Amino acid sequence: MDFSIDLIRQAQDRIAPHVITTPLIRAERLDSYLGCKVYLKLENMQNAGAFKLRGAMNACLILTPEQLANGIVTCSTGNHGRACSFAGKMLGVPVTVVVPHGAPDIKVRNIKALGAQVVQCPAVERFDVAGRIAAETGAAFVPPYDDWAVMAGQGTAGLEITQQLPDADVLVVPTSGGGLLSGVSCAVKESCPDVRIVGAEPAVMARYGASLEAGRPVELPQADTIADALLSNHPGEKCFEVVRRYVDQAVPVSDQAIKRAQKLLLTEGCVFAEPSACIGIGAVLDGTLKVDPDQKVCFLISGGNCAIDQLDAIKDAEV
Amino acid sequence: MDFSIDLIRQAQDRIAPHVITTPLIRAERLDSYLGCKVYLKLENMQNAGAFKLRGAMNACLILTPEQLANGIVTCSTGNHGRACSFAGKMLGVPVTVVVPHGAPDIKVRNIKALGAQVVQCPAVERFDVAGRIAAETGAAFVPPYDDWAVMAGQGTAGLEITQQLPDADVLVVPTSGGGLLSGVSCAVKESCPDVRIVGAEPAVMARYGASLEAGRPVELPQADTIADALLSNHPGEKCFEVVRRYVDQAVPVSDQAIKRAQKLLLTEGCVFAEPSACIGIGAVLDGTLKVDPDQKVCFLISGGNCAIDQLDAIKDAEV
């Protein structure tokens, strides 16, 4: 395997000037709702609004000037696109982002606000469309997750967690293709092997649950979920290899529980996060993740790119 | 003056089992909006949703069993009422809260949810009504702010700030009657005399600005503001005495700036707070508080008792 904590440490040095060391806080008021000692790693407070900047920035910074000459192109359900747009703007290169139809307006607006060009297409075609644009324009493709440089960048969030809460009992990570989960699990398990690491994924498309059971990456039918940043229907192959080695468990979470989690985090936790970022808390509410009152459980809150209007969807959720 | 940092230290020991040491975080993404290094003291994450529990709990814990025998009564625009209800529930005594007409439903609901009785009346009559109930029932009156025990309790938030950010340049505190401002300013100035302390108050009812200029507590006509926790039309006399000694400046903030601040804190800062809690940030947006890019400015975020519906008021605010 061409992946290691050393790659993550190198990424940390490389991206340090551009990313925020985000707060990891104790959220005591959530304890009684979740039945454990609650900690939150606040990647929603990251530049460009999500952990995605870590991987995108690392992937861009290892490209040569020649590779960057024609700009970069990527495909993304939103947050990676905004991260690439942010990175491209800092590096002074043009950026094209392929976004699936149905991505939240706020995410598309935020990408455009950074000067990037947006191309929309059906979700399942987004990699093909991005590949075609790369071939036609000579732009460098920056993949959203199944890439060692991207995974190493995301893993830097894990390095911070091992500094901020070295005695965590459980770490819960929102999971789509597995870029964040793979990077973070490697960083944490290699430093603090006793931390139990859990990936939380939408129940309608539990690609890691199915793949870990099958022992190989499994592709599921594309499905829709309120967790609009967790739309991959299969694990990345590289990600899967790392996840299989370091992750203890993948748990499915219903959309209803994600909504409840978002409302709980907002009104009782006082933290504003997008639905996908709340899926770990949803796993506890849903009962698919079991925790104990004495356990220190850290929820990685992955992003905060959410419009106020979107909160209409959770007004009536039960807390 | 019968007030000192010793009273605040005693309060800290007394209330420790019941209150949360709230996080103080760096909120780097807000720097470019506010033109300074932004820190947030998150009292919206306090038990019962606001700093008010500190003072209410201290005031209740120094009452004798005889004084508590007939329960407690208070008057409050919401947060102090919830705090007293929380304290009363822990101490096993009945609580009556006099709430002005127009207080947000969520605040009234939260008080009732803790088992307290709610009596509503016009805002200017709330002290008289509470006094009458105390006389009739023998309940102990727990004042919302102009009381040494309450002020000492609120001051414990200041003690935490001196531990968490001893080298702050500026500390901005939401101000109504002055309970929080007086307690916090005493705790901070006696420990870290170089911190500049600023009270932020609604421009429609700038009672501290007027009073500091006059050199005595001034009563202003009652006015309405979106900052529903900052409705006092005059400084508390005891509070004023302390504020005059320790506070550097009081700044007025428009309702429009408070709305902008709440939206900025939510969507860029990822922190959910009630309008009153955002007034310090509003002071910078309004230009009434001048800060420098090199300054560490800590905003005390006083409470988070806000319903999702209330966010409708800020949807169109400019950030």
Side-chain angles (χ1 to χ4, degrees):
Chain A
M1 187 165 66
D2 302 316
F3 195 67
S4 71
I5 193 167
D6 290 337
L7 278 188
I8 302 172
R9 293 202 180 105
Q10 290 161 21
Q12 191 172 39
D13 291 340
R14 196 176 287 125
I15 67 178
H18 306 289
V19 302
I20 294 172
T21 301
T22 54
L24 189 156
I25 65 165
R26 178 82 172 91
E28 209 171 317
R29 252 168 71 202
L30 297 181
D31 291 6
S32 62
Y33 295 91
L34 300 179
C36 59
K37 295 192 168 76
V38 179
Y39 293 80
L40 306 172
K41 172 64 172 171
L42 296 173
E43 279 295 302
N44 52 341
M45 296 189 183
Q46 187 54 263
N47 278 331
F51 75 91
K52 287 280 187 180
L53 182 64
R54 297 173 182 270
M57 191 56 88
N58 193 44
C60 287
L61 288 173
I62 60 173
L63 293 173
T64 63
E66 292 71 33
Q67 289 172 310
L68 278 175
N70 295 310
I72 58 178
V73 59
T74 191
C75 56
S76 164
T77 51
N79 286 337
H80 176 69
R82 186 176 177 192
C84 285
S85 305
F86 188 97
K89 193 174 179 185
M90 304 207 81
L91 299 170
V93 301
V95 179
T96 305
V97 183
V98 180
V99 175
H101 294 309
D105 282 350
I106 182 91
K107 295 196 172 182
V108 175
R109 274 203 308 276
N110 284 336
I111 290 168
K112 289 180 176 169
L114 289 162
Q117 196 187 341
V118 171
V119 175
Q120 291 198 285
C121 72
V124 292
E125 293 174 19
R126 63 192 193 279
F127 280 87
D128 295 339
V129 172
R132 201 180 316 137
I133 291 171
E136 286 169 9
T137 66
F141 178 63
V142 180
Y145 59 93
D146 202 25
D147 176 89
W148 302 127
V150 171
M151 292 155 66
Q154 321 301 32
T156 61
L159 289 183
E160 291 176 15
I161 292 169
T162 63
Q163 295 285 317
Q164 295 167 317
L165 191 70
D167 61 342
D169 294 298
V170 184
L171 172 62
V172 195
V173 183
T175 301
S176 183
L180 180 63
L181 182 61
S182 57
V184 165
S185 63
C186 174
V188 173
K189 280 283 189 184
E190 291 286 349
S191 312
C192 309
D194 292 338
V195 181
R196 178 175 150 220
I197 301 193
V198 178
E201 60 186 353
V204 290
M205 206 163 36
R207 77 297 281 188
Y208 267 95
S211 301
L212 289 170
E213 196 178 321
R216 58 175 174 75
V218 170
E219 183 167 327
L220 300 178
Q222 189 70 39
D224 201 24
T225 160
I226 191 173
D228 58 68
L230 308 178
L231 286 174
S232 289
N233 66 350
H234 64 284
E237 296 208 355
K238 296 185 179 75
C239 297
F240 181 75
E241 204 178 322
V242 179
V243 166
R244 182 159 59 165
R245 178 157 169 190
Y246 291 114
V247 172
D248 295 277
Q249 189 185 5
V251 294
V253 186
S254 68
D255 271 28
Q256 191 51 43
I258 294 172
K259 288 183 191 177
R260 289 176 58 203
Q262 191 186 11
K263 186 172 181 181
L264 178 68
L265 186 61
L266 186 73
T267 60
E268 288 301 308
C270 297
V271 169
F272 182 67
E274 57 185 281
S276 305
C278 306
I279 192 168
I281 292 172
V284 177
L285 295 177
D286 234 1
T288 54
L289 172 59
K290 306 289 182 200
V291 292
D292 292 331
D294 288 340
Q295 286 184 319
K296 293 183 176 180
V297 181
C298 179
F299 298 90
L300 198 160
I301 306 300
S302 49
N305 288 324
C306 184
I308 291 177
D309 286 337
Q310 287 175 257
L311 298 179
D312 289 343
I314 61 166
K315 275 185 181 171
D316 299 325
E318 191 189 321
V319 163
Chain B
M1 187 165 65
D2 301 315
F3 195 66
S4 70
I5 192 166
D6 290 337
L7 277 188
I8 303 173
R9 292 202 181 104
Q10 290 160 20
Q12 191 173 40
D13 291 340
R14 196 176 286 124
I15 68 177
H18 307 288
V19 302
I20 294 173
T21 300
T22 55
L24 189 157
I25 65 165
R26 177 83 172 92
E28 207 171 320
R29 252 168 71 201
L30 297 181
D31 290 8
S32 61
Y33 294 92
L34 300 179
C36 58
K37 296 193 168 75
V38 179
Y39 293 80
L40 306 172
K41 172 63 172 172
L42 296 173
E43 279 294 302
N44 52 342
M45 295 188 182
Q46 186 56 261
N47 278 332
F51 75 91
K52 287 279 187 181
L53 182 63
R54 298 174 182 270
M57 190 57 88
N58 193 45
C60 288
L61 288 174
I62 60 173
L63 292 173
T64 62
E66 292 70 33
Q67 289 172 310
L68 278 174
N70 295 311
I72 58 177
V73 58
T74 191
C75 56
S76 165
T77 52
N79 286 336
H80 175 68
R82 186 177 177 192
C84 284
S85 305
F86 188 98
K89 192 175 180 184
M90 304 206 80
L91 299 171
V93 300
V95 179
T96 305
V97 183
V98 180
V99 174
H101 294 309
D105 282 350
I106 181 93
K107 296 196 172 182
V108 175
R109 273 203 309 277
N110 284 337
I111 290 169
K112 289 181 177 169
L114 288 162
Q117 195 189 339
V118 171
V119 175
Q120 292 198 285
C121 72
V124 292
E125 294 174 18
R126 63 193 192 280
F127 280 88
D128 295 339
V129 173
R132 200 180 317 136
I133 292 171
E136 286 168 9
T137 65
F141 178 64
V142 180
Y145 58 91
D146 203 25
D147 175 89
W148 302 127
V150 171
M151 291 155 68
Q154 321 302 30
T156 61
L159 288 183
E160 291 176 15
I161 292 169
T162 64
Q163 295 285 316
Q164 294 167 316
L165 190 70
D167 61 341
D169 294 298
V170 184
L171 172 61
V172 194
V173 183
T175 301
S176 184
L180 180 64
L181 182 61
S182 57
V184 165
S185 62
C186 174
V188 173
K189 280 283 189 183
E190 291 286 349
S191 313
C192 309
D194 292 339
V195 181
R196 179 176 149 219
I197 301 194
V198 179
E201 60 186 353
V204 291
M205 206 162 35
R207 79 294 283 186
Y208 267 95
S211 301
L212 289 170
E213 199 180 318
R216 58 175 174 76
V218 170
E219 183 167 327
L220 300 178
Q222 189 70 38
D224 201 26
T225 160
I226 191 173
D228 59 68
L230 308 178
L231 286 174
S232 288
N233 66 350
H234 64 284
E237 296 208 356
K238 297 185 178 77
C239 298
F240 181 75
E241 205 180 321
V242 178
V243 166
R244 183 160 58 165
R245 177 158 169 189
Y246 291 115
V247 173
D248 295 278
Q249 190 184 4
V251 293
V253 186
S254 68
D255 270 28
Q256 190 51 43
I258 294 172
K259 289 183 191 178
R260 290 176 57 205
Q262 191 186 11
K263 186 172 181 181
L264 178 68
L265 185 61
L266 185 74
T267 59
E268 289 300 309
C270 297
V271 170
F272 182 68
E274 58 186 278
S276 306
C278 305
I279 193 168
I281 293 173
V284 177
L285 295 176
D286 234 2
T288 54
L289 173 60
K290 307 289 184 199
V291 292
D292 291 332
D294 288 340
Q295 285 184 319
K296 294 183 176 178
V297 181
C298 180
F299 297 91
L300 198 161
I301 306 300
S302 48
N305 287 325
C306 184
I308 292 177
D309 286 338
Q310 287 176 255
L311 298 179
D312 289 345
I314 62 166
K315 275 186 181 170
D316 298 326
E318 191 188 322
V319 163

